[in-house]
C-alpha cells in the first residue's frame, strides 16, 4: 500500500479544519509529551528528538491557528460594533471606502 505524502497531508489539513478534531490533535499532542511511552525513545541520538520536534511543531501550529482565529473573530466583532455605533452617531450620509493606487 503506497500512499503519497501529499495525499496524507491533504487529508490531515482537511481533518483539522473541523474545530472538534483540532482540539483532539492538541489534546493528543499534549498527552504524548507527558506520556512515558514514546515512538522513538529519546536516548537514540537524532531519531529520538525528531518525533518530539515534529509533534511540538504540530502543537505550536494548531495552538497559534486557534489564537489567530480567535483574535480575528474578536477583532471582527469589535470593528462591527464600532461601525454600528459610528453609523448611529453620524447622519445618514453614505461612506465610501476607496483603495489608493499609485499611477506612474
Amino acid at each position: 500500500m503506497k500512499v503519497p505524502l501529499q495525499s496524507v497531508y491533504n487529508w490531515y489539513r482537511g481533518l483539522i479544519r473541523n474545530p472538534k478534531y483540532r482540539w483532539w490533535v492538541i489534546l493528543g499532542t499534549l498527552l504524548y509529551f507527558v506520556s512515558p511511552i514514546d515512538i522513538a525513545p529519546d536516548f537514540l541520538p537524532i531519531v529520538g528528538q525528531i518525533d518530539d520536534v515534529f509533534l511540538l511543531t504540530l502543537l505550536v501550529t494548531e495552538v497559534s491557528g486557534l489564537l489567530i482565529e480567535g483574535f480575528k473573530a474578536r477583532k471582527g466583532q469589535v470593528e462591527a460594533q464600532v461601525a454600528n455605533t459610528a453609523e448611529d452617531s453620524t447622519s445618514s450620509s453614505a461612506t465610501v471606502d476607496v483603495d489608493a493606487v499609485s499611477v506612474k
Side-chain angles (χ1 to χ4, degrees):
M1 182 172 145
K2 184 177 180 182
V3 178
L5 186 60
Q6 184 66 33
S7 65
V8 172
Y9 177 76
N10 290 338
W11 169 80
Y12 169 74
R13 292 311 305 164
L15 184 70
I16 292 301
R17 288 191 180 123
N18 186 339
K20 179 177 73 172
Y21 295 123
R22 178 177 280 174
W23 283 109
W24 279 110
V25 168
I26 292 171
L27 181 66
T29 305
L30 289 173
L31 287 174
Y32 180 80
F33 280 125
V34 298
S35 172
I37 300 170
D38 205 359
I39 293 173
D42 291 336
F43 63 83
L44 298 174
I46 294 175
V47 178
Q49 285 81 24
I50 288 177
D51 68 330
D52 293 335
V53 169
F54 171 73
L55 287 173
L56 183 64
T57 304
L58 178 67
L59 178 66
V60 169
T61 301
E62 296 307 321
V63 170
S64 64
L66 281 174
L67 292 175
I68 289 171
E69 287 175 6
F71 176 74
K72 285 181 180 179
R74 274 187 257 118
K75 185 177 178 184
Q77 290 174 351
V78 170
E79 288 177 354
Q81 290 174 355
V82 169
N84 288 339
T85 57
E87 288 176 5
D88 294 340
S89 65
T90 61
S91 65
S92 61
S93 65
T95 304
V96 178
D97 291 330
V98 178
D99 292 332
V101 177
S102 62
V103 178
K104 293 183 181 183

